[in-house]
Amino acid sequence: MNHPRATPATPATPETATPTGPEATPHPPGAPAADGTTPAAPALAPAAPATAPLHPATAPIAELHRFLGARLDTTARAWLDRALAEAAAHPGTHGPISVWELRLAEAGRRCGAAHADAARVLILYAAHADTEALTRVYDQGTADERRAVLHALPHLVPGPGARPLVEDALRTNDTRLVAAAVGPYGARHLDAHAWRHAVLKCLFTGVPLDRVADLARRARGDAELARMLGDHADERTAAGRPVPEDLHRARALALAPAEPAPAEPGPAPSCTPSHTTDDPHGKES
């Protein structure tokens, strides 16, 4: 992102939050407190390494926070602590650009390419970036920043308002953007026509269909998708090109019977006795 030069204000020292609730429901960084105030993001405390990498679009925010705490060195953790505190303290737009937007541009250099997506998602979340802010970052950002915005959508946008960003990413030939666009937000909000073409876009560009969120549910019993995939397979065969295994797998899902609708619950069994006597034959004495 080509940002104007700015001299960031001296960040406030973030407070270290002490969990008071159950560990199973940690307070996410930058989330509003019960009294409506926005506390400073808690410092990243080193933790035991996670057993597997976390995906920034699907992992809970608190888990991403702990994940980075286990992997960033002391300098990078301190930088991210400050960036999250700034974003939580100044979530809106201030001047031509917000201080947290500057931090998005620095994340790759400060946290390393392997952790930049997660760091950017945490910053966007701490800043409570709404659809307008996310669109601004996407429109002005680099490909890396655009990908982070797409990963942040499931955490920040409950409705379909950010769908144009997903549709724009699917029009590119950047496989990293395409893969991010078919994540959980796209699975939830793309209509059937756009979603089918997103699956084909993955096949055209070589994005593994494992990256398509909710593939099994959305593809199952989709006759139109089966037809489109069959046509694509025929075209590849006619051109002497191999048909990828992913295509066969997706077509098999689309040809499978659709899941039956849940059965309507029947009437509850009556608890009224058929007679009011203790005689097993229902006879009164």
Side-chain angles (χ1 to χ4, degrees):
M1 185 187 295
N2 294 323
H3 300 301
R5 292 183 177 274
T7 303
T10 302
T13 301
E15 298 176 1
T16 302
T18 300
T20 57
E23 292 184 358
T25 56
H27 191 70
D35 60 1
T37 62
T38 302
L44 287 171
T51 56
L54 299 178
H55 195 287
T58 57
I61 290 294
E63 291 296 321
L64 282 180
H65 200 238
R66 284 195 290 266
F67 179 83
L68 288 188
R71 283 159 175 76
L72 296 179
D73 62 26
T74 303
T75 301
R77 277 202 307 272
W79 177 86
L80 188 56
D81 286 343
R82 291 193 298 271
L84 295 177
E86 289 171 343
H90 305 287
T93 302
H94 306 277
I97 193 166
S98 301
V99 65
W100 57 265
E101 293 181 61
L102 296 173
R103 301 298 171 251
L104 293 176
E106 298 175 20
R109 176 166 53 88
R110 298 286 192 170
C111 299
H115 304 308
D117 276 349
R120 290 184 175 114
V121 168
L122 288 177
I123 293 169
L124 288 167
Y125 186 86
H128 304 289
D130 58 12
T131 303
E132 180 181 355
L134 292 166
T135 300
R136 182 177 68 251
V137 173
Y138 182 92
D139 288 343
Q140 299 176 359
T142 64
D144 288 341
E145 291 163 42
R146 290 183 171 195
R147 187 174 68 254
V149 167
L150 295 169
H151 288 325
L153 294 181
H155 302 292
L156 291 167
V157 185
R163 188 168 56 198
L165 304 184
V166 174
E167 293 167 345
D168 180 84
L170 289 171
R171 287 191 291 269
T172 73
N173 288 318
D174 186 325
T175 55
R176 297 182 304 166
L177 288 182
V178 172
V182 293
Y185 187 85
R188 192 177 306 139
H189 295 295
L190 287 175
D191 62 30
H193 176 78
W195 186 81
R196 292 177 190 126
H197 282 276
V199 172
L200 283 175
K201 180 76 176 207
C202 290
L203 292 170
F204 277 119
T205 58
V207 173
L209 292 190
D210 286 343
R211 305 297 294 275
V212 180
D214 216 7
L215 174 68
R217 183 188 66 81
R218 291 208 61 169
R220 188 178 180 89
D222 189 335
E224 178 61 15
L225 177 63
R227 183 196 66 77
M228 295 168 68
L229 293 171
D231 290 347
H232 184 47
D234 291 343
E235 291 169 1
R236 293 184 68 94
T237 300
R241 301 172 63 193
V243 178
E245 184 58 35
D246 264 358
L247 191 152
H248 292 303
R249 181 165 65 91
R251 190 161 185 262
L253 285 170
L255 290 171
E259 292 285 352
E264 291 291 332
S270 174
C271 295
T272 304
S274 58
H275 53 77
T276 58
T277 178
D278 292 334
D279 186 283
H281 301 291
K283 297 177 182 179
E284 295 182 1
S285 57

